[in-house]
Amino acid sequence: MKFSKGQGLTMASMSKPYLVRASLLAGFAIFMGLALSFVVYQSTEKVKSNAIDLVSHRIPILTSINELIADLSEQERVIYEYYRSQDNDTFRQSSTAVMNTFDMHLAVILSQDRFSSEAAVIVKDQKKIVVLFDDFYQAMQVDEDNWDEMRAILSQVSKVRRQLLPTLKFIEMQTKKTVDEGHQATLAQMAISRWLVIIYGVAIVLIAGVISWYIRQYMLTQAKNTRLALFSQQNPNPILSVNNVGEVVFANPACGKLLLCVGYQANEVDYLLPSNFLSLRQLLSSQQEHSMVVEQVLNDHILQISVYWHEEIDAYDIHIKDVTERKLAEEQVNHLAFYNQGTNLPNQYKFNRDIDNAIKAGENFSIGIFSIRAFDEKVSTLGLESTEALVKALAKNISQALPVGVYFYQTNDSQFGLLCNKSNNSLALQKLTKVVSAVAEQPLLTHCGEFFVELDFGYGCYPTHGEDRNFLIKSAHSALAVASEDEHNNFCLYQPKFSEDRQHNSELINKLRHAVAKKELFLVFQPQLDIQSNRVTGIETLVRWQHGGEIISPVDFIPLAEQSGLIIPIGQWILEQACLFAKRLVDLGYIDIVVAVNVSPRQFTHPQFCHTVKSTLENVQLPAQNLELEITEGVFMHNEENTLAVLQQLKSFGLHLSIDDFGTGYSSLSYLKRFPIDKLKIDQSFIRDCHQNDEDKAIIKTIVSLGKSLNLSLIAEGVEEESHVEFLRGLGCHEIQGYWFSKPVLAEQLITLLVEKGGDIQVEPLKSRPTA
């Protein structure tokens, strides 16, 4: 593009201010550099002067002071050596050498005018030492014994040396002080230089940035007109200019290329205008924004058309871009983002979006979450490939069976979602569940074989169960969890109490985590009475939790502790406290009494359980025969060999083992023959109504007979009536436990009971059943 002379002058006048400002800033930077160099040079000279003074004067003085102190000690050593050896020649040589050394080191002090008075003192005292040396030498030449005189001279030499030390130390202290002052001055000077360099560096960076900006503006200004001229002509995207009557007045070469690509002639540029260009012009003139982007399909090509209205000249610029490939890629990415690649079902993200859209629509609907029961076991049993084939076959069969208005999703590997636009009541959802369950009950034929699955369903309804997508999904999952726990029913519709129960349990678990540290847990003990001899032979340990001024029932918090894993530390604490109490009873003389502790299934299966029991017994120093572990039948239902190994190891310690709540479990009675059990505890559910229920009596008789046949001790729980006691005594049951004899009491109350009762116990049963 050619520019006129006037245009050239205009561009020069626009560019010149940027060059002038850049030059001024560059000159200022050079001046700052020269000034910094001068300051740094001056600072360096000061540092050099301080260093020379330090090396030439201060350090030699410090060295000489130390040497003089050493010389004084050496002088004293020489004269004492002479006193010991009486060797005249050695004394003359040594004394001369040490005096010369002292004079040499003293010369450094004498060269310093600031220490002239101190130097005079040193010279004076040194002369005294020289005179004393001569006196000592003369005294040594006398034949007669004059040891007192010589010792007096030695004492004088030591005294003069000690008198000189403060003077030498003063010179040393003053010299060190000047050295420190010089050092601090040097550091300060260096710090000033350093900060000047840093400030200069920062300033240079800023100035360089500003200079670069001015130069860039200059270059941009120079190139602006050229770039603007070439922009439209060489742009790879089609550009059109349209006047106020809709006529194309300019089209760049890219327009012809695009028209040829889509099957038109290169000069048929009118086909590139938006088909509704007239309405777009009216819309642009009526709105504040003067630009708009529309899409248009032209012979299977998707064109993105950007229209800008120049209000001042009432003309339009149109920029066109072929976005066909991008649109196809977006559709592919959208499919990857919102569909499961294995089953081609919409995924969790699509599920969330569709729920949000349904909420915006404001119509009633319901969502369902269903999962494949025991999916993890299938993966571990069948393998990943087979389970993937199973899921694909299941998804295909269900997709074909779903009624109209129900949308199907796969939310994870084993879970699926349902969005039901018309089914919003329990009956309709149960009917839908039956449809899907019927499909799942059919064999799933895959290339890996034939499979069968079971499904569990949970549902939530909008707006009955929530008006928020997250809460609706949470509701459905809560209902699914309830359905999964029910072995006989795979359908569950959400109820508000599900969330309340879960929230309550969650809060209770959080509080339970700190119960031991806050000393909120405590133990009570219920005595076990031998009804044949009327003696207390055992005590069961029971845990209680006092929180917020109330006692929380073990029925409420023990299952939560088991579920959350807190039963491990809580169980260990109970075991330790029970053993401490048992040791206390043994120390009081109750050497035959046995304290029983309940062991939960999770606690029993912990790999360190046996070690914990053994170490607790050793730490407390409790004989093993005074401890009994009560284990529920549920422990024996899984991994029988491992259970047997643990029981045998516990039995090897010498403690007692009993089965708690006997008769309520579902495990085989064969474990009574194999496992080293000492006692059976007949569950209180059989005892409670045995005085008026023949079936309960028959069960109790069978358990007692079984226990006696296997030579096991028998104890009945929940004994509350005199008739219970008479019935059990008649059967030959060994022990009882319950409110008839004593409710659970605190440790001190139990000890009082044992002390008051002494040996044989005259039983005075509770007159009425306690309400606590």
Side-chain angles (χ1 to χ4, degrees), residues 117-128:
S117 58
E118 288 79 5
V121 173
I122 295 172
V123 171
K124 178 180 177 183
D125 287 345
Q126 179 61 18
K127 287 180 180 181
K128 290 180 181 180

Side-chain angles (χ1 to χ4, degrees), residues 439-689:
V439 174
E441 289 171 0
Q442 300 301 315
L444 300 174
L445 303 178
T446 71
H447 66 279
C448 296
E450 183 179 87
F451 304 104
F452 293 87
V453 296
E454 293 180 278
L455 305 177
D456 294 308
F457 295 79
Y459 293 92
C461 300
Y462 174 87
T464 307
H465 299 145
E467 300 181 359
D468 172 75
R469 181 243 299 168
N470 291 328
F471 192 82
L472 280 174
I473 294 177
K474 178 181 175 182
S475 301
H477 275 284
S478 297
L480 175 62
V482 174
S484 300
E485 295 171 359
D486 191 340
E487 297 182 2
H488 308 292
N489 184 18
N490 68 343
F491 169 85
C492 183
L493 182 61
Y494 173 77
Q495 297 179 27
K497 71 173 185 177
F498 295 167
S499 296
E500 295 172 5
D501 291 345
R502 289 181 177 274
Q503 180 67 24
H504 174 73
N505 291 343
S506 177
E507 293 175 357
L508 210 58
I509 289 173
N510 289 333
K511 294 174 182 177
L512 189 58
R513 294 184 190 279
H514 308 288
V516 175
K518 293 182 177 181
K519 298 182 179 180
E520 294 178 347
L521 296 180
F522 66 95
L523 299 183
V524 293
F525 304 90
Q526 188 169 32
Q528 298 168 335
L529 179 68
D530 187 327
I531 56 177
Q532 306 300 328
S533 63
N534 277 353
R535 296 181 63 88
V536 174
T537 56
I539 299 168
E540 182 177 6
T541 304
L542 303 170
V543 65
R544 298 291 185 265
W545 180 18
Q546 184 171 16
H547 178 76
E550 62 177 348
I551 301 296
I552 300 176
S553 172
V555 176
D556 293 330
F557 73 85
I558 290 297
L560 295 179
E562 181 80 18
Q563 171 190 336
S564 63
L566 293 174
I567 195 66
I568 302 301
I570 291 176
Q572 183 173 347
W573 177 84
I574 294 172
L575 178 64
E576 292 173 354
Q577 298 302 312
C579 288
L580 287 171
F581 179 64
K583 180 64 167 63
R584 183 180 175 188
L585 293 178
V586 171
D587 292 343
L588 289 173
Y590 301 99
I591 59 175
D592 295 328
I593 205 160
V594 178
V595 175
V597 178
N598 290 285
V599 178
S600 76
R602 189 162 186 171
Q603 188 180 5
F604 182 84
T605 57
H606 193 277
Q608 294 296 316
F609 177 63
C610 291
H611 173 73
T612 300
V613 173
K614 185 177 181 180
S615 61
T616 301
L617 289 170
E618 292 174 350
N619 293 338
V620 177
Q621 297 182 346
L622 175 68
Q625 65 266 21
N626 294 105
L627 176 66
E628 177 182 300
L629 298 182
E630 296 185 0
I631 303 165
T632 61
E633 284 187 282
V635 170
F636 307 127
M637 295 178 63
H638 307 287
N639 202 344
E640 190 171 306
E641 295 302 322
N642 184 64
T643 301
L644 177 60
V646 174
L647 290 173
Q648 289 176 340
Q649 185 174 359
L650 291 172
K651 192 63 182 173
S652 68
F653 299 159
L655 48 76
H656 301 275
L657 297 174
S658 66
I659 299 179
D660 195 16
D661 301 333
F662 184 77
T664 60
Y666 301 97
S667 55
S668 171
L669 294 179
S670 64
Y671 60 72
L672 291 178
K673 179 180 68 174
R674 298 189 60 199
F675 296 161
I677 303 300
D678 300 299
K679 180 186 291 187
L680 299 181
K681 298 192 73 175
I682 306 173
D683 187 68
Q684 60 182 340
S685 62
F686 303 123
I687 304 297
R688 186 177 300 114
D689 297 320

